[in-house]
Amino acid sequence: MNLSLWNALGSWPSAPCLLAGLLAALMIYARGWRLLRRHDRARWSRNKLGAFALALGSLYLALASPIEVFSAFWLSAHMLQHLLLMMVAAPLIWLAAPLLPILQGVPRPIRTVWLAPLLRMNALRAWAFQLSRPSVALALFTAVSWVWHAPALYEGALRWPVLHYLQHGCFLAAALLFWYPVVQPFPAARPQTRWFVLPYLLLADLQNTILSALFTFSARVFYPYYESIPRLGGSSALVDQQLAGILMWIVGSAAFLLPLCLYGWQLLNGPNGARAPRNARSTGEPAPRRAVGRCDQRRRRFDLLALPGVGPVLRSAHTRLLVRLLTGACAAAIVCDGFRGPQVGALNLAGVAPWIHWRWLLVIGLLIGGNWFCYGCPFMVPRALARRLFSARRRWPRWLANKWLAVGLLVSFFWAYEAFSLWDRPLWTAWLVLLYFTAALVIDSSFRGASFCKYVCPIGQFNFVQSLFSPWEVAIREPQVCANCRTHDCLSDARPEPVRGALRGCELELFQPHKQGNLDCTFCLDCARACPHENVGILLAIPGQTLVHDGWRSGIGPLSRRADWGALVMVLSCAAFANAAGMVAPVAAWEERIASQWNLPSLLPMVSLFSLAAMVVAPLAILACATWLSRRGGAPSAFASEPARRTATRYAFAFAPLGCAMWVAHYSFHFFTSYAAIVPAAERFVASLRGPAGVSATWSCRCCQPPGDGLIRLELFILGVGLLGSLYLADCFSRAATDPSDAAPAARRIRLWPWAVALVLLYGCGVWILLQPMQMRGAM
């Protein structure tokens, strides 16, 4: 080990004043906590004392440990110091509810002469109230974070100790103000509704993500101080800066999103998360009853359509038409450039926009906002025009009313993408877009309902599966309102006779009271517009939670009986790995070597063989082997008599989070390395609209950016989150399939381990793929 690094590790800074102050604070708090605990043991539990001790320990670790020594040499250590102050110490302090214990713990003269008059000052209390308001606290927190990371101030804090202490004080004070509305420590008065915490934490995470992305993806060093000092460990200042950005990104997002998930769970299930006993139905015991008013209050969820100004805009049919016209104009520009522009992918909108930018925006939009692409789908514009000219009276054939046709189209599309290099054939991309428009026009002008969206569209099926992990879903607000409804206007064909001027309901035959999750939901909001009671909204949901329970779903039925849905999920999950693997150097070299050994005229047979093995053979082999092993284990099962096909279908949905994570990681790589490729293609397209003189205009070709270590770490982090989600779902399925009479967990483990091994092996393949050199398709 480097001698300087070893000396830094062995040196523990001497800070007797800080240590004495922290110990005195702990003693005061412990004394007051003990006095309060005598009267109310439930409120003043040992957890509060532990939280306060951990908060003081994190302060000491941040300010008087080797982290303080490393902060002078590494930006990442300095970032860790700030994260301990803002993301660990501050919320732990409020979780300990320190006001009353400290007041009780200090000597009586100090409390009565100094503290009590100070706390009774109206001006001070009004000032504290204004500062602790969510809008003010968030603004101050964001301003302190960004201002102190400005190069001038940050460099000054590194060079002058007084400014450094002021920086730490500002960070801790701003963090205490920020976390106060979230924790609401006793005896603070809690508001009646806590929904503001969700956008509050989301906005904080957004600013943290933007700031950390600047550190992670910047190609220059922000703080020259770290370049002018000796480097410990051999890493460069730029790599150290990228590591600091990744650290801020991961730790900060976890600090904001974990309480966000907790509050989301409380809003969905009540503050105590009370539920009926798991085996109430099997044991015959009735579920506990609750008061109706309280039940309605506990089930109330945050509704996007209930926001003033936002809800009416989203619900309006004119808004959807405007969005469709805008996306239709973008599609028209891509088709036009695909036919008329240069047939080089990196120089054409048809080679850059759909294969780099649209795909990444699609998956990110699905994870953040839901299936908004289907909301503004441009392929529905000609369908709407055709339905004014033709009357679609036929019903979709019953033997095609499933997902098998869509599965076949998806496999064909992913195969054609690799086999014919669609990303580098703008003309073919333009024809593909036109084929989409034609298919939507022909099918939906001939058949009733949204047959193209539900049974044919490959993009729609991709959106349905990935939107399972969105935090939003179109759902009813109050179940009792739908129970009393007799007209069912939310369904397109519910009315016995057509009503002139009536709004159209859901054409995908999804009955809202029985709908679960986002499967088959295009976010068209026709049901919300048609409901006369305004009982349909876009409600906050726990991502992927609807997959845990295998209940009956409107328009779908139980997922364990839908082998077509299971096949769709498995094909999309394996296609995520196959699509990324087809771009890495080892796989490309292997295909070329085999084609050369077999004297093949082209790589088409090898690409076809690889696609068939990855998207058809591999899913079947994984499901068959894991199903056989889990059923052969001999564990008592509540579904022992069910066919193996249902077992495989149930567990197939456990692969959805890992597949979604692979799509996000892979598309993020191409977007962050080639996001600037749209600029020269757009410049050339705009110049071509001006005629021959404009075509000859000079324009610069922007090369792709090299992937940094921070991007690779981000991809691996995303893939790891997907693995955890898949393992969680597999464990939930194993719990549901284990006989409740068997109290030992061995039965559940026997059923779980084949699926866990398959998921971990697939995760290992994803890690290997992400660490390989990858082609920069669509960029020069």
Side-chain angles (χ1 to χ4, degrees):
M1 181 183 292
N2 185 282
L3 182 59
S4 300
L5 183 59
W6 177 258
N7 292 333
L9 284 172
S11 61
W12 199 279
S14 176
C17 295
L18 177 64
L19 181 59
L22 295 179
L23 289 177
L26 182 59
M27 292 174 62
I28 292 173
Y29 180 91
R31 179 175 181 268
W33 171 82
R34 187 174 65 253
L35 295 175
L36 293 171
R37 183 174 170 81
R38 295 175 183 174
H39 304 283
D40 192 351
R41 297 180 64 88
R43 183 182 299 279
W44 302 103
S45 63
R46 292 187 177 90
N47 293 336
K48 284 187 167 50
L49 179 61
F52 194 75
L54 288 176
L56 299 183
S58 60
L59 287 175
Y60 186 76
L61 187 64
L63 303 176
S65 73
I67 296 178
E68 173 69 18
V69 179
F70 285 137
S71 65
F73 299 95
W74 288 347
L75 176 60
S76 54
H78 208 174
M79 191 67 69
L80 177 61
Q81 194 177 34
H82 297 162
L83 291 173
L84 285 172
L85 294 173
M86 304 177 73
M87 306 301 179
V88 179
L92 284 175
I93 289 174
W94 291 132
L95 287 173
L99 180 59
L100 290 183
I102 290 178
L103 286 176
Q104 289 291 329
V106 298
R108 179 182 292 272
I110 297 179
R111 180 170 64 248
T112 57
V113 177
W114 296 97
L115 295 181
L118 186 66
L119 294 177
R120 292 194 189 102
M121 293 177 58
N122 292 331
L124 180 63
R125 296 174 65 179
W127 183 64
F129 176 77
Q130 293 296 330
L131 287 180
S132 62
R133 293 177 60 184
S135 57
V136 178
L138 178 60
L140 288 175
F141 183 81
T142 303
V144 168
S145 300
W146 282 78
V147 169
W148 274 110
H149 282 97
L153 283 177
Y154 203 96
E155 287 267 337
L158 291 172
R159 300 181 186 275
W160 293 292
V162 176
L163 199 59
H164 196 190
Y165 297 149
L166 178 61
Q167 182 190 49
H168 287 168
C170 290
F171 279 147
L172 182 60
L176 288 172
L177 286 175
F178 172 80
W179 289 107
Y180 184 85
V182 178
V183 180
Q184 289 288 316
F186 182 80
R190 293 178 177 269
Q192 294 296 324
T193 59
R194 300 279 289 157
W195 64 266
F196 73 88
V197 175
L198 303 178
Y200 183 75
L201 292 173
L202 281 175
L203 290 175
D205 181 55
L206 177 62
Q207 65 86 23
N208 179 78
T209 300
I210 296 174
L211 183 58
S212 57
L214 293 178
F215 285 95
T216 304
F217 302 115
S218 176
R220 66 180 184 88
V221 177
F222 289 157
Y223 311 121
Y225 169 85
Y226 288 106
E227 288 184 312
S228 63
I229 62 174
R231 300 300 305 169
L232 297 182
S235 62
S236 65
L238 183 59
V239 172
D240 179 34
Q241 178 175 287
Q242 292 172 347
L243 179 60
I246 290 294
L247 193 63
M248 174 189 270
W249 204 329
I250 295 176
V251 176
S253 295
F256 295 126
L257 297 182
L258 285 178
L260 185 143
C261 294
L262 176 62
Y263 276 105
W265 178 265
Q266 290 182 355
L267 289 174
L268 293 175
N269 299 281
N272 299 322
R275 287 180 175 270
R278 188 177 199 132
N279 300 326
R281 183 172 296 182
S282 61
T283 58
E285 298 178 2
R289 299 183 62 184
R290 295 178 295 189
V292 176
R294 186 174 181 181
C295 177
D296 293 342
Q297 181 69 24
R298 289 165 66 90
R299 290 184 178 179
R300 188 171 299 165
R301 294 187 279 170
F302 178 71
D303 187 2
L304 195 62
L305 293 186
L307 292 179
V310 178
V313 172
L314 292 179
R315 193 184 290 109
S316 172
H318 300 289
T319 302
R320 191 185 184 197
L321 177 61
L322 177 61
V323 174
R324 284 179 170 179
L325 291 177
L326 292 176
T327 56
C330 296
I334 290 173
V335 171
C336 178
D337 205 26
F339 281 115
R340 299 179 53 190
Q343 297 304 304
V344 180
L347 310 183
N348 199 299
L349 285 179
V352 174
W355 305 119
I356 296 178
H357 300 78
W358 171 75
R359 293 196 300 179
W360 184 80
L361 292 174
L362 177 67
V363 294
I364 294 299
L366 285 168
L367 294 183
I368 296 177
N371 192 4
W372 290 108
F373 175 79
C374 289
Y375 173 86
C377 178
F379 303 115
M380 297 299 100
V381 176
R383 184 190 77 168
L385 296 176
R387 287 194 169 180
R388 294 181 177 273
L389 303 176
F390 306 99
S391 123
R393 298 184 178 275
R394 290 186 249 176
R395 294 193 64 87
W396 186 254
R398 183 178 295 272
W399 61 279
L400 283 177
N402 48 56
K403 300 297 180 180
W404 292 114
L405 175 60
V407 170
L409 291 175
L410 276 170
V411 172
S412 302
F413 169 76
F414 289 123
W415 164 77
Y417 175 82
E418 289 291 335
F420 302 107
S421 303
L422 294 182
W423 71 90
D424 200 29
R425 295 177 183 265
L427 181 62
W428 288 37
T429 302
W431 278 113
L432 181 64
V433 176
L434 285 181
L435 178 63
Y436 241 101
F437 275 103
T438 305
L441 177 64
V442 172
I443 293 176
D444 283 336
S445 62
S446 303
F447 298 96
R448 300 169 56 187
S451 302
F452 177 78
C453 300
K454 189 166 186 175
Y455 303 116
V456 180
C457 179
I459 299 177
Q461 314 311 315
F462 180 90
N463 294 348
F464 294 154
V465 174
Q466 311 311 324
S467 63
L468 284 169
F469 310 104
S470 168
W472 304 99
E473 67 171 331
V474 178
I476 61 173
R477 296 167 176 167
E478 297 291 343
Q480 191 60 36
V481 174
C482 290
N484 298 330
C485 180
R486 295 293 178 267
T487 58
H488 302 321
D489 300 79
C490 59
L491 284 176
S492 180
D493 298 331
R495 305 180 186 89
E497 296 181 1
V499 180
R500 184 177 180 84
L503 296 174
R504 180 181 63 193
C506 179
E507 294 185 302
L508 287 94
E509 301 177 356
L510 300 178
F511 186 41
Q512 282 298 329
H514 298 158
K515 174 179 171 290
Q516 295 185 37
N518 292 321
L519 293 181
D520 273 351
C521 180
T522 60
F523 269 55
C524 63
L525 300 182
D526 286 339
C527 55
R529 286 187 287 269
C531 179
H533 312 291
E534 296 186 357
N535 196 40
V536 181
I538 303 178
L539 306 185
L540 195 66
I542 300 176
Q545 186 66 22
T546 56
L547 292 177
V548 175
H549 306 289
D550 187 27
W552 191 86
R553 301 162 188 262
S554 177
I556 298 175
L559 289 179
S560 61
R561 298 186 181 182
R562 293 296 302 268
D564 54 336
W565 270 107
L568 177 65
V569 170
M570 285 300 298
V571 164
L572 284 174
S573 301
C574 292
F577 293 85
N579 184 251
M583 304 183 191
V584 300
V587 175
W590 172 79
E591 292 176 346
E592 293 177 358
R593 184 171 63 254
I594 298 299
S596 177
Q597 292 176 357
W598 292 357
N599 295 322
L600 298 177
S602 67
L603 291 178
L604 180 60
M606 290 307 305
V607 173
S608 303
L609 181 63
F610 176 78
S611 300
L612 179 66
M615 291 185 289
V616 179
V617 178
L620 289 175
I622 291 173
L623 291 178
C625 294
T627 302
W628 182 79
L629 289 173
S630 64
R631 293 169 66 88
R632 190 173 175 79
S637 171
F639 309 107
S641 60
E642 72 176 9
R645 179 178 179 179
R646 288 190 62 182
T647 303
T649 302
R650 179 182 291 107
Y651 280 95
F653 288 90
F655 290 81
L658 186 58
C660 179
M662 189 63 190
W663 284 119
V664 176
H666 179 204
Y667 286 167
S668 296
F669 173 85
H670 288 288
F671 178 79
F672 286 118
T673 56
S674 308
Y675 62 89
I678 191 68
V679 177
E683 290 177 352
R684 188 210 49 77
F685 175 72
V686 173
S688 67
L689 298 178
R690 301 172 183 172
V695 174
S696 60
T698 60
W699 54 279
S700 59
C701 181
R702 303 195 177 188
C703 299
C704 54
Q705 302 293 327
D709 294 339
L711 181 57
I712 301 300
R713 295 189 185 100
L714 176 63
E715 293 178 87
L716 295 178
F717 173 75
I718 294 173
L719 195 63
V721 172
L723 174 64
L724 293 178
S726 292
L727 291 175
Y728 170 75
L729 286 180
D731 181 66
C732 291
F733 299 154
S734 299
R735 289 176 182 271
T738 303
D739 193 344
S741 62
D742 186 7
R748 178 170 56 87
R749 289 198 297 265
I750 292 174
R751 296 183 65 86
L752 175 62
W753 77 262
W755 302 100
V757 170
L759 290 169
V760 171
L761 289 178
L762 193 60
Y763 167 77
C765 294
V767 172
W768 179 82
I769 292 171
L770 295 178
L771 294 179
Q772 302 303 313
M774 185 170 288
Q775 299 176 4
M776 303 293 187
R777 294 180 176 178
M780 297 185 66

